[in-house]
Amino acid sequence: MTPAEAPCEISCQHVWKVFGPHPERIAPLLESNRSKREILAETGHVVAVKDVTFDVRKGEIFVVMGLSGSGKSTLVRCISRLIEPTKGSILMHGEDVVAMNEKQLRELRRRKISMVFQHFGLFPHRRVLDNVAYGLEIQGVESATRRERARQILELVGLAGWERHYPGELSGGMQQRVGIARALAVDPEIMLFDEPFSALDPLIRREMQDELLKLEKEMRKTIIFITHDFLEAIKLGHHIAIMKDGEIVQQGTPEELVLHPVNDYVREFTKDVPRAKVLTAGIIAQEDQAVVLDTDDVATILSVMQVKGSTTAFVKGAEGRFLGVLSLDDVAGAKGHKTDVSAMLSHFPVIYSDTKLEELIPLTVTTDAPFPVVDKTHKLLGAVDRTSVMMAVGGKEQPQAGDTGH
């Protein structure tokens, strides 16, 4: 099951956070369209999070990004109630975190959610093994069991052999691995990352991003990841929410944000993005192809190819499943004969819909032929060719069939 098909695990509904002496008294102003600056001038209160709503599905990485002061770190602290939300609900598995009492909240933090911060928060007087085992110690897990679990997690994050060292003896990247290992040791369902890699050198940062993707693939945790770096966001996120002045201005997949920024603020983030690393075959696949069924006769197939002006036809079977390619020469040669279409099929290489454009470029530069694009069930979605790939990389997607371009 992909994250897009998974059930919702976290749902933030109309969450507000207002800092000031009497946030409850300015509730009527919150429902007005006054800006953050206007509310501050009128009341002395700061609107840090403004009417935020989003859903996070089980097993996905949901990235919240924005510049400093956008409210993203306040938001993630509201989700765990390290900061108390002023209004709204935060549902985890249908339970409202905002309504939890102290005992319920303590249990949630101990067993269901873990946080990883920018500044690692390790205990300098404890060895690496004991830092990793700390959450299990708080849970009351006996010493031998928690240490064995800590060793297993340290091996998972590439720190086997460092158990007896102190945090001060480790590099920044290694210390952050310890922080991630500590969060993973309690086997949480949900992990909250607040700019965990922003203090690291660029090379170490990329390594840690790769490590997180590997861990997410292996362990299928639900992750909310905070960052100010859009390139980091598109590398990690299944979905991204972009914040400004406490509110979400746009949310969607990396492809949706790059292709359809809603305003200049979002467009500024996306303008320097390497599109070949973000856009996928499924996004640019052209549907207006010569497509026939395996039950069609030769005359019908020829007619379709002539109408489309194509020298190839894609053949679909039951439920739209892609079966192969027919060439014009083969079909024309069979005209007038009773021929089984399946016997003429060429088993052309297929492109899966989640294939990035950077992987398509080497395939398409040497041929004008269209490549069939299929989903994970092998259902035919359309085709890509050299022209569509190059135009997408250059920022000029071809219109789909029926699109007038206006």
Side-chain angles (χ1 to χ4, degrees):
M1 180 183 292
T2 65
E5 299 166 327
C8 179
E9 188 150 38
I10 305 169
S11 181
C12 289
Q13 298 293 320
H14 306 291
V15 176
W16 293 75
K17 178 58 189 176
V18 180
F19 290 103
H22 303 290
E24 70 286 349
R25 295 182 186 176
I26 68 164
L29 289 180
L30 302 183
E31 301 302 331
S32 70
N33 287 322
R34 286 179 175 83
S35 69
K36 180 178 178 177
R37 183 173 297 178
E38 288 170 335
I39 291 176
L40 175 61
E42 289 181 39
T43 69
H45 289 72
V46 176
V47 179
V49 175
K50 181 180 180 183
D51 199 22
V52 164
T53 295
F54 62 82
D55 293 330
V56 183
R57 298 195 174 275
K58 184 176 178 62
E60 82 164 317
I61 300 178
F62 187 93
V63 176
V64 180
M65 73 148 299
L67 302 178
S68 296
S70 62
K72 58 190 185 297
S73 290
T74 301
L75 174 62
V76 78
R77 283 165 169 76
C78 285
I79 291 171
S80 62
R81 271 185 62 191
L82 291 177
I83 291 176
E84 290 288 342
T86 303
K87 292 178 62 180
S89 62
I90 300 165
L91 305 177
M92 294 187 185
H93 308 113
E95 290 187 74
D96 192 353
V97 175
V98 178
M100 287 181 177
N101 59 34
E102 286 188 19
K103 181 179 178 182
Q104 292 171 316
L105 191 56
R106 188 162 54 245
E107 190 68 9
L108 177 79
R109 292 172 180 164
R110 284 183 177 179
R111 302 186 184 277
K112 290 189 177 181
I113 63 174
S114 288
M115 285 198 71
V116 180
F117 298 94
Q118 174 183 348
H119 302 293
F120 321 120
L122 304 179
F123 299 115
H125 61 287
R126 285 184 171 228
R127 298 181 191 275
V128 165
L129 187 70
D130 294 320
N131 265 284
V132 174
Y134 178 72
L136 296 170
E137 181 181 339
I138 293 298
Q139 290 182 2
V141 177
E142 61 96 14
S143 178
T145 301
R146 67 177 184 254
R147 284 170 171 264
E148 178 57 29
R149 170 69 176 168
R151 287 189 183 91
Q152 292 171 359
I153 297 298
L154 282 169
E155 185 171 353
L156 186 68
V157 301
L159 286 179
W162 292 88
E163 294 87 349
R164 295 191 58 77
H165 289 260
Y166 289 96
E169 299 173 317
L170 276 58
S171 68
M174 293 171 75
Q175 289 184 52
Q176 193 56 285
R177 286 173 189 263
V178 176
I180 293 172
R182 183 174 60 186
L184 286 169
V186 297
D187 195 22
E189 298 169 18
I190 296 165
M191 299 185 72
L192 308 176
F193 287 77
D194 188 12
E195 300 205 59
F197 308 146
S198 60
L200 303 177
D201 293 337
L203 180 60
I204 302 300
R205 185 172 186 164
R206 287 195 294 272
E207 290 177 358
M208 292 302 300
Q209 292 165 358
D210 293 339
E211 186 72 25
L212 179 61
L213 289 172
K214 186 187 82 168
L215 288 170
E216 193 273 341
K217 188 174 182 179
E218 292 177 5
M219 304 189 76
R220 304 305 298 169
K221 300 298 182 185
T222 302
I223 294 172
I224 295 180
F225 191 100
I226 307 299
T227 183
H228 63 268
D229 184 339
F230 190 66
L231 291 180
E232 182 169 71
I234 63 173
K235 180 175 181 177
L236 298 178
H238 295 103
H239 287 87
I240 301 169
I242 299 181
M243 293 188 72
K244 180 184 181 185
D245 293 335
E247 58 187 324
I248 291 177
V249 294
Q250 187 174 357
Q251 59 178 301
T253 64
E255 295 97 326
E256 289 166 347
L257 297 180
V258 169
L259 287 174
H260 307 295
V262 296
N263 57 26
D264 289 340
Y265 182 73
V266 178
R267 195 170 292 110
E268 189 67 23
F269 282 119
T270 64
K271 69 178 183 180
D272 295 324
V273 170
R275 295 165 66 90
K277 292 181 178 295
V278 179
L279 302 184
T280 59
I283 290 289
I284 69 165
Q286 301 295 306
E287 298 175 7
D288 190 23
Q289 305 294 320
V291 179
V292 299
L293 302 177
D294 60 341
T295 54
D296 288 339
D297 57 31
V298 170
T300 299
I301 295 171
L302 272 175
S303 175
V304 171
M305 295 174 79
Q306 288 168 356
V307 167
K308 294 295 184 182
S310 176
T311 59
T312 58
F314 297 144
V315 181
K316 295 194 300 186
E319 299 179 349
R321 183 176 174 82
F322 174 72
L323 298 179
V325 174
L326 293 173
S327 73
L328 181 59
D329 289 343
D330 288 341
V331 177
K335 189 176 182 181
H337 301 281
K338 189 173 182 179
T339 306
D340 181 6
V341 167
S342 62
M344 297 189 292
L345 287 177
S346 298
H347 295 289
F348 207 71
V350 298
I351 303 297
Y352 285 95
S353 58
D354 60 355
T355 303
K356 295 288 193 294
L357 297 197
E358 64 181 350
E359 300 173 62
L360 293 182
I361 292 171
L363 295 175
T364 58
V365 291
T366 58
T367 177
D368 290 326
F371 286 80
V373 178
V374 301
D375 65 14
K376 65 177 183 179
T377 66
H378 228 68
K379 181 179 178 180
L380 181 66
L381 302 178
V384 294
D385 58 16
R386 179 167 56 196
T387 300
S388 61
V389 171
M390 292 301 106
M391 289 183 72
V393 170
K396 297 180 179 179
E397 285 70 44
Q398 287 182 318
Q400 295 284 351
D403 185 350
T404 63
H406 297 295

